[in-house]
Amino acid sequence: MQFKTRRNQARPCTTPREVELGVRGLGAIEDLRQAAGSLTDEVDALVAEWVDPVLARIAADLADVTAKTINDPVWQTIDLEKCEVLLLDSPLMQRLRGVKQLGLAHLVFPGATHDRFAHSCGIVEATERMLASLQRNAQRRDQGSPLPTISPEHRRVVRLAALLHDTGHGPFSHAIEPVVERLYKDQFSQLRKKAQTVFSLDNLPQTAELLVVLMVCAPKFVDVLRHGSFGGFSPQAIAEQMVACILGARAVPSPGRAVPPPFLTAIVSSSIDADKMDYLARDAHHAGLPIAFDTPRLVSKLEFLKCNQDTLPKKQSENVDFANAHDERQYFDLGLADGGVGAFEQMLVNRAFLYDRLYHHHKVRVADAMAQRLAYYAQKASQGSLKLKQLYLNVCNPDVHASYAHVDGIQAKRREPHFATARRRLGTKGPRAERW
């Protein structure tokens, strides 16, 4: 990511050739699914259970689905489109109401009971404001070399990627990731290597991100994308572009590939993405930590950054090679005008403060370690039969929704004998487990 001001005129980023690529883009979906091995089948089974109600509503012509406007403590108002509401009302998204954003941090910060459902809605609004700011600032530039415009199809893809980017989280949020990684070590290793190769990733994707990738690529979810409200590209191309956004991919367009421009993927996953803009402000608000974020200023100073061998520093040889690989020997990235540097620095400082005071608080880390140990003991008690379905136990079932809302599923897990054995190993019985 570079941060400079570029003064250029607008140009459509979706040419007829790019539209053709988007329609044809079957891309790396099958490669990713094959790389994950048996994990793919388990994720497919979960996704089928979670999106079957969506397919049923689609069969009924979506007569009861409308766009919505909701209130939010961070963004005040969030506007959701019809296709987003369709997914939001499904068990795939509704289960996030029982997954706390900060895992077990509410045991130390009682106000930190917000969930990943609210965060997912918030990042959609942050994404929309970033897209609008980019387009607005591009239109204000002086005459010169053309800048991209954002097509309605790409805008919809980026918003969907933002909405679904956290669906890979299970109970206890990040605390449970090491357990899932350990259960499927080989599958995640192969999937991580394949994703890094196919999408030219700068950083290795986390466990939850890889699970989202498999969910988006699942056949049942691709069937949902066939509905006209998701239109613009083929369903496989939409899925591949969503994956690229979630992983923050930078790949050169080529026949059979459907990869959004780098400035779009950077909105969902980068050093200045919509995810950070939402969770930093939201976590500080609910934890009761008096931290101020000048998010409106930061968003208003976003710019298209033209990157080629003339504008990039010579030491950034990888970026220069990436630019030269394009037909126009350049690409556009997400940048920041000089007037927004102060707000960006403020965000970085406050992020470090939150890691020190909240995310890495010693008591929070102790609680996370207890949750991980519970799952490890359950794995041993199951003699290898503990699978993803048990870790994500009935998380979409209304009968256990209230239990998940209590401590991210500890009550629901009591019904499983593996977790009963684990509780005995931990020495937690009845009410003591409820006080986690």
Side-chain angles (χ1 to χ4, degrees), residues 74-75 101 116 118-128 130 161-163 165-166 169 174 206 209 245-246 265-283 295 347 351 355 359:
V74 175
W75 303 101
Q101 172 76 8
R116 292 198 173 267
H119 169 57
S120 297
C121 295
I123 190 178
V124 173
E125 182 63 24
T127 297
E128 179 61 30
M130 293 175 73
L163 180 68
H165 83 288
D166 264 357
H169 284 287
H174 288 293
Q206 298 180 356
E209 292 174 333
C245 289
I246 291 168
T265 61
I267 289 177
V268 182
S269 180
S270 70
S271 60
I272 190 173
D273 56 32
D275 185 30
K276 294 181 181 64
M277 290 190 186
D278 182 83
Y279 82 72
L280 292 175
R282 191 175 302 276
D283 293 350
T295 305
M347 184 187 77
R351 181 171 179 260
Y355 269 91
Y359 306 137

Side-chain angles (χ1 to χ4, degrees), residues 98-103 106 113-116 173 405-408:
V99 180
K100 290 186 175 62
Q101 172 76 8
L102 296 178
H106 65 284
T113 57
H114 56 299
D115 51 50
R116 292 198 173 267
S173 289
H406 181 53
V407 244
D408 285 0

Side-chain angles (χ1 to χ4, degrees), residues 412-429:
K413 286 179 171 54
R414 288 173 152 195
R415 306 181 183 185
E416 289 290 308
H418 310 325
F419 288 94
T421 302
R423 286 196 313 278
R424 288 195 295 271
R425 291 287 301 275
L426 284 172
T428 54
K429 298 180 181 179

Side-chain angles (χ1 to χ4, degrees), residues 31-284:
D31 289 342
L32 294 175
R33 287 173 51 80
Q34 292 176 9
S38 60
L39 179 60
T40 298
D41 297 331
E42 295 191 41
V43 173
D44 286 352
L46 285 175
V47 172
E49 179 182 353
W50 293 338
V51 304
D52 274 345
V54 180
L55 294 172
R57 296 183 78 179
I58 290 177
D61 295 329
L62 303 180
D64 59 337
V65 181
T66 59
K68 290 184 179 180
T69 300
I70 60 178
N71 295 328
D72 183 75
V74 175
W75 303 101
Q76 283 71 58
T77 300
I78 298 175
D79 293 315
L80 298 169
E81 299 178 353
K82 183 176 179 178
C83 62
E84 295 162 355
V85 173
L86 174 64
L87 294 175
L88 204 66
D89 289 343
S90 70
L92 176 67
M93 290 297 302
Q94 287 296 316
R95 72 179 191 85
L96 296 181
R97 290 183 182 273
V99 180
K100 290 186 175 62
Q101 172 76 8
L102 296 178
L104 295 170
H106 65 284
L107 300 178
V108 184
F109 299 88
T113 57
H114 56 299
D115 51 50
R116 292 198 173 267
F117 181 86
H119 169 57
S120 297
C121 295
I123 190 178
V124 173
E125 182 63 24
T127 297
E128 179 61 30
R129 298 192 186 191
M130 293 175 73
L131 291 169
S133 179
L134 280 172
Q135 200 70 80
R136 182 173 59 251
N137 290 337
Q139 293 172 355
R140 293 175 178 174
R141 297 299 143 220
D142 298 333
Q143 296 292 331
S145 301
L147 286 174
T149 58
I150 301 170
S151 68
E153 293 80 12
H154 276 133
R155 172 181 168 272
R156 186 179 299 112
V157 165
V158 176
R159 285 176 59 101
L160 287 172
L163 180 68
L164 295 169
H165 83 288
D166 264 357
T167 51
H169 284 287
F172 310 115
S173 289
H174 288 293
I176 207 69
E177 286 186 19
V179 179
V180 180
E181 181 79 27
R182 181 175 177 177
L183 285 175
Y184 302 93
K185 182 178 179 180
D186 294 338
Q187 292 91 331
F188 277 117
S189 177
Q190 294 299 320
L191 178 57
R192 194 170 279 114
K193 291 179 181 178
K194 178 62 68 174
Q196 189 174 28
T197 301
V198 171
F199 289 103
S200 303
L201 304 179
D202 294 331
N203 301 307
L204 290 176
Q206 298 180 356
T207 302
E209 292 174 333
L210 293 175
L211 286 174
V212 178
V213 167
L214 292 178
M215 291 177 183
V216 170
C217 296
K220 283 282 189 177
F221 187 83
V222 174
D223 287 343
V224 172
L225 297 178
R226 298 183 190 281
H227 187 264
S229 61
F230 298 94
F233 298 116
S234 69
Q236 292 86 356
I238 296 174
E240 184 173 344
Q241 292 186 75
M242 289 174 62
V243 168
C245 289
I246 291 168
L247 296 179
R250 290 201 318 169
V252 179
S254 60
R257 292 295 309 278
V259 181
F263 64 84
L264 289 180
T265 61
I267 289 177
V268 182
S269 180
S270 70
S271 60
I272 190 173
D273 56 32
D275 185 30
K276 294 181 181 64
M277 290 190 186
D278 182 83
Y279 82 72
L280 292 175
R282 191 175 302 276
D283 293 350

